[in-house]
Amino acid sequence: MSLKSFFGGFLAVVATTVSLSGVAFAQHLNMGNPSGAVASTSYPSNYLMNKPQFSLSYHRDRGTPNWVSWQLNSTWLGSQPRLDNFRADTSLPSGWYRVGSTDYSGSGYDRGHNCPSADRTRNSTDNGSTFLMTNMIPQTPDNNQGPWARLEDYTRSLVSGGTKDAYVIMASRGTRGTIANGRVTAPTNIYKVILVVNRGTTASGVTTSARVIAVRIPNTTGIRNSDWRSYRVSVDTVEAETGYNFLSSVPTSVQSVIEARVDNL
Ligand code: MN
Protein backbone atom coordinates (compact mmCIF):
# COMPACT_ATOMS: atom_id res chain seq x y z
CA MET A 1 0.00 0.00 0.00
CA SER A 2 1.35 3.37 -0.98
CA LEU A 3 1.49 6.19 1.50
CA LYS A 4 -1.10 8.02 -0.59
CA SER A 5 -3.61 5.16 -0.53
CA PHE A 6 -3.00 4.68 3.22
CA PHE A 7 -3.95 8.26 3.89
CA GLY A 8 -6.85 8.02 1.45
CA GLY A 9 -8.25 5.13 3.47
CA PHE A 10 -7.63 6.97 6.72
CA LEU A 11 -9.50 10.03 5.49
CA ALA A 12 -12.40 7.89 4.29
CA VAL A 13 -12.71 6.43 7.80
CA VAL A 14 -12.65 9.90 9.33
CA ALA A 15 -15.31 11.12 6.90
CA THR A 16 -17.53 8.15 7.69
CA THR A 17 -17.16 8.75 11.42
CA VAL A 18 -18.09 12.40 11.08
CA SER A 19 -21.13 11.52 8.97
CA LEU A 20 -22.36 8.91 11.44
CA SER A 21 -22.01 11.30 14.36
CA GLY A 22 -24.31 13.73 12.62
CA VAL A 23 -21.85 16.56 12.35
CA ALA A 24 -22.04 16.47 8.57
CA PHE A 25 -25.78 17.22 8.71
CA ALA A 26 -25.00 20.76 9.75
CA GLN A 27 -24.30 21.57 6.11
CA HIS A 28 -27.95 22.51 5.70
CA LEU A 29 -27.48 25.25 8.30
CA ASN A 30 -24.17 26.51 6.89
CA MET A 31 -25.71 29.94 6.39
CA GLY A 32 -27.52 30.02 9.74
CA ASN A 33 -30.41 28.79 11.89
CA PRO A 34 -33.16 31.34 11.15
CA SER A 35 -35.09 31.03 14.42
CA GLY A 36 -32.38 29.74 16.72
CA ALA A 37 -34.18 26.38 16.83
CA VAL A 38 -33.07 24.00 19.58
CA ALA A 39 -33.11 20.18 19.57
CA SER A 40 -34.81 20.02 22.97
CA THR A 41 -38.40 19.16 23.89
CA SER A 42 -38.31 22.32 26.02
CA TYR A 43 -38.79 24.18 22.70
CA PRO A 44 -41.98 22.61 21.25
CA SER A 45 -42.69 25.63 19.05
CA ASN A 46 -39.13 25.86 17.69
CA TYR A 47 -37.79 22.31 17.78
CA LEU A 48 -34.68 21.64 15.69
CA MET A 49 -34.57 18.46 13.62
CA ASN A 50 -31.41 17.68 11.66
CA LYS A 51 -31.67 15.05 8.97
CA PRO A 52 -29.04 14.06 6.42
CA GLN A 53 -31.19 15.61 3.68
CA PHE A 54 -32.44 18.83 5.38
CA SER A 55 -32.80 20.63 8.69
CA LEU A 56 -36.00 22.10 10.07
CA SER A 57 -37.68 23.89 12.94
CA TYR A 58 -40.84 22.06 13.96
CA HIS A 59 -43.89 23.54 15.69
CA ARG A 60 -45.64 20.81 17.65
CA ASP A 61 -48.94 22.63 18.02
CA ARG A 62 -49.18 23.74 14.37
CA GLY A 63 -48.23 20.24 13.19
CA THR A 64 -45.90 21.75 10.61
CA PRO A 65 -42.37 23.03 10.25
CA ASN A 66 -41.78 26.73 10.85
CA TRP A 67 -39.07 26.50 8.24
CA VAL A 68 -37.01 23.92 6.40
CA SER A 69 -33.46 24.63 5.21
CA TRP A 70 -31.41 22.64 2.73
CA GLN A 71 -28.35 22.78 0.56
CA LEU A 72 -28.90 22.10 -3.12
CA ASN A 73 -26.27 21.34 -5.70
CA SER A 74 -25.83 18.86 -8.52
CA THR A 75 -24.60 16.11 -6.18
CA TRP A 76 -28.13 15.85 -4.72
CA LEU A 77 -29.65 15.31 -8.16
CA GLY A 78 -29.95 11.93 -9.86
CA SER A 79 -32.50 9.66 -11.43
CA GLN A 80 -34.47 8.36 -8.43
CA PRO A 81 -38.20 8.65 -9.26
CA ARG A 82 -40.47 10.16 -6.62
CA LEU A 83 -41.50 7.55 -4.08
CA ASP A 84 -44.73 9.16 -2.82
CA ASN A 85 -44.21 7.33 0.49
CA PHE A 86 -45.88 10.00 2.62
CA ARG A 87 -45.62 8.95 6.27
CA ALA A 88 -45.48 10.12 9.85
CA ASP A 89 -42.08 11.13 11.21
CA THR A 90 -41.36 8.67 13.99
CA SER A 91 -38.33 10.67 15.08
CA LEU A 92 -40.61 13.24 16.73
CA PRO A 93 -40.44 13.18 20.53
CA SER A 94 -42.69 10.60 22.18
CA GLY A 95 -45.99 12.07 23.25
CA TRP A 96 -46.11 14.60 20.41
CA TYR A 97 -48.84 14.16 17.80
CA ARG A 98 -47.38 12.66 14.66
CA VAL A 99 -49.15 14.01 11.59
CA GLY A 100 -50.04 11.06 9.38
CA SER A 101 -50.14 10.52 5.65
CA THR A 102 -53.96 10.83 5.51
CA ASP A 103 -54.36 13.82 7.84
CA TYR A 104 -54.70 16.20 4.86
CA SER A 105 -57.27 14.02 3.08
CA GLY A 106 -60.41 15.87 2.05
CA SER A 107 -59.06 19.19 3.34
CA GLY A 108 -58.64 20.76 -0.08
CA TYR A 109 -54.96 21.32 0.63
CA ASP A 110 -52.02 19.57 -0.97
CA ARG A 111 -49.40 17.91 1.20
CA GLY A 112 -46.97 20.64 0.23
CA HIS A 113 -43.32 19.70 0.41
CA ASN A 114 -40.89 22.17 1.89
CA CYS A 115 -37.74 20.41 0.61
CA PRO A 116 -39.03 19.18 -2.77
CA SER A 117 -38.97 15.55 -3.81
CA ALA A 118 -37.20 16.59 -7.01
CA ASP A 119 -34.35 18.19 -5.01
CA ARG A 120 -33.48 14.79 -3.51
CA THR A 121 -33.14 12.27 -6.32
CA ARG A 122 -29.69 10.81 -5.65
CA ASN A 123 -31.12 7.63 -4.09
CA SER A 124 -34.26 6.21 -2.53
CA THR A 125 -33.27 7.10 1.04
CA ASP A 126 -32.88 10.75 0.16
CA ASN A 127 -36.07 10.90 -1.87
CA GLY A 128 -38.08 9.08 0.78
CA SER A 129 -36.96 11.56 3.43
CA THR A 130 -38.84 14.33 1.66
CA PHE A 131 -42.14 12.48 2.15
CA LEU A 132 -41.95 12.67 5.95
CA MET A 133 -44.93 14.70 7.15
CA THR A 134 -42.59 16.96 9.15
CA ASN A 135 -41.56 18.32 5.73
CA MET A 136 -45.15 19.25 4.77
CA ILE A 137 -47.51 22.18 5.08
CA PRO A 138 -51.13 22.45 3.92
CA GLN A 139 -50.60 24.31 0.65
CA THR A 140 -53.29 25.32 -1.81
CA PRO A 141 -53.05 23.38 -5.06
CA ASP A 142 -52.90 26.66 -6.99
CA ASN A 143 -49.86 27.80 -5.01
CA ASN A 144 -48.13 24.41 -4.82
CA GLN A 145 -48.66 23.36 -8.42
CA GLY A 146 -48.41 26.88 -9.82
CA PRO A 147 -45.79 29.53 -9.05
CA TRP A 148 -44.27 27.50 -6.21
CA ALA A 149 -43.51 24.53 -8.45
CA ARG A 150 -42.06 26.78 -11.15
CA LEU A 151 -39.75 28.47 -8.62
CA GLU A 152 -38.55 25.03 -7.51
CA ASP A 153 -37.82 24.09 -11.13
CA TYR A 154 -35.98 27.36 -11.67
CA THR A 155 -33.84 26.82 -8.57
CA ARG A 156 -32.74 23.41 -9.78
CA SER A 157 -31.83 24.93 -13.13
CA LEU A 158 -29.42 27.28 -11.35
CA VAL A 159 -27.39 24.41 -9.85
CA SER A 160 -27.67 21.70 -12.48
CA GLY A 161 -24.50 22.83 -14.22
CA GLY A 162 -22.47 21.75 -11.20
CA THR A 163 -20.71 25.01 -10.32
CA LYS A 164 -23.21 26.45 -7.83
CA ASP A 165 -24.55 25.75 -4.36
CA ALA A 166 -27.98 27.03 -3.43
CA TYR A 167 -29.04 27.39 0.19
CA VAL A 168 -32.81 27.32 0.30
CA ILE A 169 -35.07 28.12 3.26
CA MET A 170 -38.85 27.72 2.99
CA ALA A 171 -40.91 29.24 5.79
CA SER A 172 -44.58 29.80 6.47
CA ARG A 173 -46.56 32.00 8.82
CA GLY A 174 -50.10 32.91 9.80
CA THR A 175 -53.30 30.92 10.16
CA ARG A 176 -55.60 30.45 7.19
CA GLY A 177 -57.42 27.64 8.96
CA THR A 178 -56.86 24.26 10.55
CA ILE A 179 -57.36 20.68 9.40
CA ALA A 180 -57.12 17.24 11.02
CA ASN A 181 -59.31 18.26 13.95
CA GLY A 182 -57.17 21.28 14.62
CA ARG A 183 -53.91 19.39 14.71
CA VAL A 184 -52.51 20.97 11.54
CA THR A 185 -52.50 24.68 10.72
CA ALA A 186 -52.64 26.01 7.17
CA PRO A 187 -50.51 29.18 6.85
CA THR A 188 -51.54 32.42 5.17
CA ASN A 189 -48.20 33.20 3.58
CA ILE A 190 -45.38 31.04 2.29
CA TYR A 191 -41.85 32.38 1.94
CA LYS A 192 -38.64 31.27 0.36
CA VAL A 193 -35.12 32.64 0.61
CA ILE A 194 -32.55 31.28 -1.87
CA LEU A 195 -28.86 32.14 -1.68
CA VAL A 196 -26.84 31.19 -4.76
CA VAL A 197 -23.06 30.95 -4.43
CA ASN A 198 -20.15 29.19 -6.05
CA ARG A 199 -19.70 25.58 -4.91
CA GLY A 200 -17.98 25.29 -1.56
CA THR A 201 -18.52 28.88 -0.48
CA THR A 202 -18.69 29.19 3.30
CA ALA A 203 -20.81 31.72 5.19
CA SER A 204 -17.80 33.93 5.83
CA GLY A 205 -16.98 33.82 2.12
CA VAL A 206 -20.33 35.17 0.91
CA THR A 207 -19.89 38.55 -0.76
CA THR A 208 -22.25 41.37 -1.66
CA SER A 209 -22.32 40.11 -5.25
CA ALA A 210 -24.13 36.92 -4.21
CA ARG A 211 -27.57 36.46 -5.73
CA VAL A 212 -30.45 36.17 -3.28
CA ILE A 213 -34.00 35.43 -4.36
CA ALA A 214 -36.76 35.95 -1.78
CA VAL A 215 -40.49 35.52 -2.37
CA ARG A 216 -43.73 35.78 -0.43
CA ILE A 217 -46.55 33.90 -2.13
CA PRO A 218 -49.97 33.86 -0.48
CA ASN A 219 -51.44 30.44 0.34
CA THR A 220 -54.52 31.14 -1.68
CA THR A 221 -56.48 30.17 -4.77
CA GLY A 222 -56.57 31.74 -8.22
CA ILE A 223 -52.81 32.13 -8.59
CA ARG A 224 -52.02 28.97 -10.52
CA ASN A 225 -50.81 30.80 -13.62
CA SER A 226 -49.00 33.60 -11.79
CA ASP A 227 -45.31 34.18 -12.39
CA TRP A 228 -43.23 33.55 -9.24
CA ARG A 229 -41.15 36.57 -10.19
CA SER A 230 -44.05 38.87 -9.42
CA TYR A 231 -43.89 37.80 -5.76
CA ARG A 232 -40.27 38.78 -5.17
CA VAL A 233 -39.50 40.81 -2.05
CA SER A 234 -36.36 41.58 -0.07
CA VAL A 235 -35.07 39.30 2.67
CA ASP A 236 -35.53 42.29 4.95
CA THR A 237 -39.26 42.12 4.23
CA VAL A 238 -39.37 38.39 4.95
CA GLU A 239 -37.45 38.92 8.18
CA ALA A 240 -39.81 41.70 9.27
CA GLU A 241 -42.88 39.51 8.63
CA THR A 242 -41.55 36.28 10.11
CA GLY A 243 -39.30 37.51 12.90
CA TYR A 244 -36.54 35.20 11.66
CA ASN A 245 -32.97 36.11 10.79
CA PHE A 246 -32.07 34.45 7.51
CA LEU A 247 -28.43 33.95 6.47
CA SER A 248 -27.45 34.84 10.05
CA SER A 249 -24.00 33.23 9.71
CA VAL A 250 -23.12 35.53 6.80
CA PRO A 251 -21.16 38.60 7.93
CA THR A 252 -23.62 41.30 9.01
CA SER A 253 -22.01 43.83 6.67
CA VAL A 254 -22.83 41.51 3.76
CA GLN A 255 -26.31 40.63 5.04
CA SER A 256 -27.22 44.30 5.19
CA VAL A 257 -26.54 44.65 1.45
CA ILE A 258 -27.86 41.40 0.00
CA GLU A 259 -30.95 41.33 2.24
CA ALA A 260 -32.08 44.83 1.20
CA ARG A 261 -32.07 44.03 -2.54
CA VAL A 262 -35.01 42.62 -4.47
CA ASP A 263 -33.88 40.14 -7.10
CA ASN A 264 -34.65 41.31 -10.64
CA LEU A 265 -32.94 38.84 -12.98
MN1 MN B 1 -30.41 38.03 7.96
Side-chain angles (χ1 to χ4, degrees):
M1 183 186 288
S2 71
L3 200 59
K4 186 176 176 186
S5 66
F6 170 78
F7 278 107
F10 175 74
L11 289 172
V13 170
V14 170
T16 302
T17 304
V18 170
S19 178
L20 288 173
S21 72
V23 173
F25 300 179
Q27 68 191 347
H28 302 300
L29 299 177
N30 278 350
M31 300 300 161
N33 175 334
S35 60
V38 183
S40 160
T41 55
S42 299
Y43 297 83
S45 64
N46 189 25
Y47 178 70
L48 179 65
M49 304 178 79
N50 283 316
K51 300 179 184 297
Q53 298 84 8
F54 49 87
S55 293
L56 65 94
S57 163
Y58 193 73
H59 195 304
R60 179 193 61 190
D61 300 331
R62 290 174 66 90
T64 66
N66 297 303
W67 52 259
V68 179
S69 182
W70 65 101
Q71 181 198 61
L72 179 63
N73 59 44
S74 60
T75 72
W76 292 99
L77 303 176
S79 56
Q80 172 65 46
R82 61 181 285 141
L83 289 170
D84 279 324
N85 54 343
F86 292 93
R87 63 201 188 282
D89 190 337
T90 57
S91 72
L92 283 167
S94 62
W96 290 20
Y97 182 72
R98 293 173 179 170
V99 177
S101 62
T102 62
D103 271 331
Y104 289 32
S105 299
S107 70
Y109 290 103
D110 282 354
R111 293 173 291 194
H113 283 75
N114 280 243
C115 181
S117 166
D119 280 12
R120 294 292 182 258
T121 54
R122 181 164 57 191
N123 55 47
S124 60
T125 302
D126 282 0
N127 188 257
S129 74
T130 71
F131 290 92
L132 292 167
M133 293 303 292
T134 48
N135 184 42
M136 301 298 164
I137 59 167
Q139 196 169 1
T140 64
D142 282 357
N143 179 308
N144 182 42
Q145 299 170 38
W148 205 263
R150 291 187 291 273
L151 175 56
E152 291 175 345
D153 288 342
Y154 178 73
T155 306
R156 282 187 293 276
S157 79
L158 295 177
V159 305
S160 61
T163 63
K164 298 290 186 184
D165 283 329
Y167 287 92
V168 188
I169 308 105
M170 174 169 168
S172 51
R173 294 287 282 184
T175 300
R176 190 172 190 265
T178 63
I179 65 173
N181 297 314
R183 285 175 164 138
V184 180
T185 299
T188 50
N189 280 311
I190 309 176
Y191 303 89
K192 191 167 261 186
V193 172
I194 304 162
L195 171 69
V196 186
V197 292
N198 291 326
R199 279 285 297 280
T201 300
T202 60
S204 61
V206 176
T207 69
T208 56
S209 62
R211 186 176 181 194
V212 178
I213 303 166
V215 298
R216 174 193 55 220
I217 306 186
N219 195 28
T220 188
T221 57
I223 61 171
R224 185 168 301 237
N225 297 318
S226 299
D227 188 341
W228 64 264
R229 292 169 182 81
S230 66
Y231 297 100
R232 286 181 287 192
V233 294
S234 68
V235 175
D236 284 344
T237 294
V238 181
E239 291 188 342
E241 294 188 9
T242 62
Y244 302 147
N245 183 1
F246 295 90
L247 314 179
S248 59
S249 296
V250 172
T252 53
S253 59
V254 176
Q255 282 186 63
S256 65
V257 175
I258 64 178
E259 294 185 354
R261 278 200 300 249
V262 179
D263 179 70
N264 62 6
L265 293 181

